[in-house]
Amino acid sequence: MPCSSRPPRLATWLLSHFRPRGDLDLLLGDLHEEFDDILRRSGRTEARRWYWRQTLRSLPNLSYDFADWNLRMFKTYLTIALRHLKRHAGYSAINIIGLAVGLAACLLIGLFVVQKLAYDRFHPDADRIYRVTYTMSDGSTMVRPFVGTALAIETHMPAAEVVTEVAVFTNEAVFMDGDTPLYASSVSADSNFFEVFSGFRMLRGNTVDALGAPRQMIVTERFAKRHFGEADPMGQVLLFRGETGYTIAGVAATPPPTSHFDFDVILSLSTAAASERGRSVLWGRYHRSVYVKAREGATEADLAAQWVAFEENAEKPAYVPDDAFAFQPITRIHLHSSHFDRDVAPQSDIRYLYLFGTVGLLILLMASINYVNLATARAVERSREVGVRKAVGARRGQLVQQFLSESVLVVGIALVLAVGLVYLVTPWVNQMTGERLSLTFGTSTGTVLLLLLAVGLAVGIGAGSYPALFLSRFQPVRVLKGRASRPGRSRMRQGLVVFQFVMSMLLFIGALVVYQQLRYIQDRDLGFDQDQVVIVSTRSLGTQYSAFKAALLESPTIVGTSTGAPLGFEYVMYRMDLDRDNPGRLQLSGIGIDTDYLDVMRPRLVAGRWFSEDRPTDRTDAVVLTESTVRALDVEGDPIGQQTSVGMQGRLTIIGVVADIHNASLHEGVQPIAFFPRETDPDTDGVYEVLVRLQAGQIAAGLSHLETVWNRFMPERPLDYQFISDRIAQQYQAEQRLAKVFGLFAGLALLIACLGIFGLAAFLTRQRTKEIGIRKVLGASTPGLVVMLAREYAALVLLGFVVAVPLVIWGSQQWLQRFAYHTDLTPVVFILALGLVGSLALGAVVSQAWRSARINPSDAIRYE
């Protein structure tokens, strides 16, 4: 007899969702027959008990059935996806290449961001290490506090566990191994160095002994292998700058690339540090960098509070502002110190991380947009596939899974290509940007690979979600009757294309603005002549300066020499109060020079005269000021001949006025400068640097003569020189790298956008083949058809330009405000960007339109 009651719904649901569909009807049929038989023999209650027992017995097999079913479904989806990619190889290649480029750009930026965030975190106690900074009254921040700061911290701050002083030589120091010069970046440090920086490992020797005794040094493994090979460096004696002998007493591991300062050699600072540790704070005399390792549990606020308590009981001058001292966490140094004065090394800026991270995501988004556009544009071709699959029983969820599987497969292939691309271009990118990015993940390989897979899966699902939902919604009846809508003018597709061109315009115009500002910096008059002037390091010249100068001037390739400080990058200067009666109100830069300085650095004299050897009073009673200094001193009328009080120099007579000089980067405004005669005799006290002006057009000959004279006076030491123009250009390394990176990403964005519009135009023009044939039969010309097909994309490019212009203007102004002197945005930049981006985009469209418009009308009308 027929069963009057259905089996329990839960059991039926479990079996219907966790068994292969092919066996479901047979399974339920057998189950229902047994259920009816028990019902007839034993009643309803016993039948239900038996049914539940059978259901529970089958549950252990459900997991196996579920995995087997999913594996078969995955194989099916993979087969369909591979078949689809092979059948439409052109469009698949466009999608894969675009996604590979986007993923590669994102991966490169990810490596950059991860490296920057990892700076100084290799120290085990990085969360307890701080650097002492000092903010002056004019708002600038120094990383070298006053003499005696380290002693004050050790004595009056219980929260400090260890304090160390470090002096970093920003220029490459020269060591002599016999007659062989060894170049290396070096630091001077006391015996507490490795206690604070515990992430720097010693390989040989004892840290306390190596840095605790005078005239000893520690070399890195990199330096030892470079200059000693397999020989033992321990005990070797090297001359530092040809003067002082240092004994190698230890070998340290090479500093990681994520240290905020690098070194090859650590020189013992024990003698100088011991003598200076006994002094009280010498307010106003800047010294070495000071690092503090706080005790367990002590915070930055504790250190700041204890320093404030020390200042309250100290005899602090009025010109030292309150809260001028701060304790900067070491993990924040690299990304938050780009504006600090005379830092131990050029640092980065956290804003560039945000900027590059955003650019990387936008490029990846542009590549995903290409996939969405092409997938939705080709909806008609796949509509019949969707209709047939739905007609034979496929649910919408299964279709969504299928299309998402295709998207993930495409992204997976692109991800593999992206990793290979990054591996190939990383050395070139490092050379271009000065970074040390690497795909050698080390101990974090598993984590990075999982992260890459997660990114690929997220991009695949994100890019494929809309096409999957869009394609799976087709109704089988309408599709099979040929009533599916054609992929005409989709507002969403047009909006995505516009977005791509907006991003391309932003990046391209941004790169042009950065290049324009760099050109403005190079061409701007700094108030002196920086070309053909070299700085020669002459620490070991001793008392031979006059003879050295005379020998140089024997050749017409040398214009002149001077012992004054070079201009343009705040080098070898001292800061002083402009008005000693109002300390801290305004500070100026005092520069000691000689009478030849005017012929070498060539500041423009606008009034009065320069210092003269024929006037002995110039050495003690004269000063030359810049125009801004005269204005700051409130000198009324003609300043020549008037007396003024400049800093601690007393009353001086103004004998000359020179035009304003940019003695720092153009990020800052013009600083007041006062030129004083050199107080010491170079033949008596020696000189550290000599400025040499070479004859224009004879640079090579001048350098050759300079080297010849150098070898005559100091054959034991190699010539060490640097062009002032190169040193000034180093101040804009961050901007130069920004321009290169922006140019790279702008090119990638343009490539992705053009790939997308090329594929989209190729498909849509193919869809209009019949229309083109009919129009040609009715008399349309080939150029007219090309214009008709390209007109829509020209409008999209123009709209993208209109949207991008205000964004570019706002962003450029925000960036240019970082410079006290900057270029103005000109229409040429926007016209050039529109012309280049528009021509590339329309070129891709016109090539496809021309190809379609030239098809024979009869072939076009028969096209299916």
Side-chain angles (χ1 to χ4, degrees), residues 122 199-200 220-222 252-259 261-264 436:
F122 61 89
F200 296 137
T220 64
E221 187 179 20
R222 174 179 58 196
T254 302
T258 52
S259 173
F261 64 90
D262 192 20
F263 57 86
D264 290 310
R436 287 184 281 183

Side-chain angles (χ1 to χ4, degrees), residues 161-177:
E161 179 178 318
V162 187
V163 183
T164 187
E165 290 183 296
V166 179
V168 178
F169 296 91
T170 55
N171 293 329
E172 279 202 334
V174 180
F175 297 85
M176 298 299 299
D177 181 15

Side-chain angles (χ1 to χ4, degrees), residues 35 263 332 334 500 603 606 628 690 699 753 766 845 854 858-859:
F35 184 83
F263 57 86
R332 290 177 57 86
H334 185 65
Q500 285 187 313
V606 296
S628 59
V690 172
I699 303 300
R766 188 161 65 91
V845 174
R854 288 176 58 85
S858 61
D859 296 334

Side-chain angles (χ1 to χ4, degrees), residues 75 95 149 157 167 247 275 280 329 358 380 389 446 541 581 593 614 625 640 644 652 657 671 673 702 712 775 817:
K75 290 181 178 179
N95 274 329
T149 300
M157 295 176 56
T247 303
S275 63
S280 58
T358 303
V380 171
R389 290 178 64 83
L541 186 61
D581 297 327
I593 48 85
D614 299 330
L625 306 176
I640 303 302
T644 183
L652 298 174
V657 177
Q671 299 176 350
I673 298 176
R712 187 194 313 169
R775 287 180 178 272
Q817 284 177 0

Side-chain angles (χ1 to χ4, degrees), residues 360-676:
L361 292 177
L362 289 176
I363 291 178
L364 188 58
L365 181 59
M366 291 175 64
S368 302
I369 286 174
N370 283 350
Y371 183 89
V372 172
N373 278 341
L374 285 175
T376 54
R378 301 182 61 249
V380 171
E381 286 192 351
R382 307 205 66 178
S383 60
R384 290 185 180 180
E385 175 191 346
V386 173
V388 171
R389 290 178 64 83
K390 279 192 171 183
V392 297
R395 298 190 301 271
R396 186 180 183 186
Q398 291 177 313
L399 293 172
V400 170
Q401 292 178 11
Q402 174 192 335
F403 293 130
L404 285 178
S405 299
E406 291 182 11
S407 174
V408 172
L409 176 62
V410 170
V411 173
I413 297 173
L415 186 60
V416 173
L417 294 177
V419 172
L421 185 62
V422 169
Y423 181 80
L424 292 175
V425 304
T426 297
W428 175 72
V429 172
N430 287 339
Q431 183 179 7
M432 181 181 69
T433 62
E435 299 294 339
R436 287 184 281 183
L437 306 180
S438 174
L439 271 175
T440 306
F441 305 124
T443 57
S444 60
T445 302
T447 303
V448 174
L449 291 178
L450 287 176
L451 183 61
L452 287 176
L453 292 176
V455 170
L457 186 62
V459 173
I461 294 176
S465 294
Y466 178 76
L469 295 173
F470 180 80
L471 293 171
S472 63
R473 75 182 183 181
F474 288 124
Q475 298 300 320
V477 175
R478 292 179 57 85
V479 169
L480 295 178
K481 287 183 178 181
R483 297 178 182 176
S485 59
R486 299 187 66 81
R489 296 181 177 179
S490 168
R491 296 296 181 187
M492 178 178 178
R493 193 181 308 120
Q494 290 177 336
L496 293 176
V497 171
V498 170
F499 174 80
Q500 285 187 313
F501 285 117
V502 169
M503 293 300 103
S504 300
M505 294 283 186
L506 282 175
L507 292 174
F508 187 74
I509 299 177
L512 289 179
V513 170
V514 175
Y515 276 115
Q516 190 177 26
Q517 175 63 15
L518 289 176
R519 178 59 63 86
Y520 174 84
I521 290 172
Q522 294 171 356
D523 296 341
R524 182 172 177 82
D525 183 9
L526 302 181
F528 61 95
D529 187 359
Q530 60 176 304
D531 297 326
Q532 294 94 40
V533 181
V534 296
I535 310 171
V536 182
S537 178
T538 56
R539 289 178 178 269
S540 57
L541 186 61
T543 60
Q544 306 179 78
Y545 171 70
S546 295
F548 179 71
K549 172 183 176 182
L552 287 177
L553 295 178
E554 291 174 357
S555 171
T557 60
I558 304 296
V559 175
T561 67
S562 173
T563 60
L567 298 172
F569 48 91
E570 291 190 301
Y571 185 65
V572 191
M573 298 189 317
Y574 52 96
R575 302 294 293 273
M576 60 177 60
D577 293 316
L578 187 65
D579 187 351
R580 63 179 178 180
D581 297 327
N582 296 285
R585 181 178 69 88
L586 182 63
Q587 292 188 321
L588 61 81
S589 300
I591 301 180
I593 48 85
D594 59 17
T595 56
D596 299 319
Y597 193 80
L598 183 65
D599 297 327
V600 177
M601 292 306 301
R602 296 179 178 175
R604 292 200 311 275
L605 198 64
V606 296
R609 61 178 179 85
W610 195 249
F611 301 100
S612 174
E613 291 284 357
D614 299 330
R615 303 193 183 198
T617 56
D618 284 0
R619 180 170 292 276
T620 58
D621 189 44
V623 64
V624 175
L625 306 176
T626 59
E627 293 176 307
S628 59
T629 310
V630 172
R631 291 191 296 268
L633 289 170
D634 299 325
V635 178
E636 298 180 358
D638 185 4
I640 303 302
Q642 294 194 42
Q643 288 193 333
T644 183
S645 175
V646 181
M648 303 303 293
Q649 302 292 323
R651 304 291 293 180
L652 298 174
T653 302
I654 303 174
I655 65 170
V657 177
V658 297
D660 282 337
I661 295 173
H662 293 283
N663 201 33
S665 73
L666 294 182
H667 294 93
E668 305 175 21
V670 172
Q671 299 176 350
I673 298 176
F675 293 97
F676 303 99

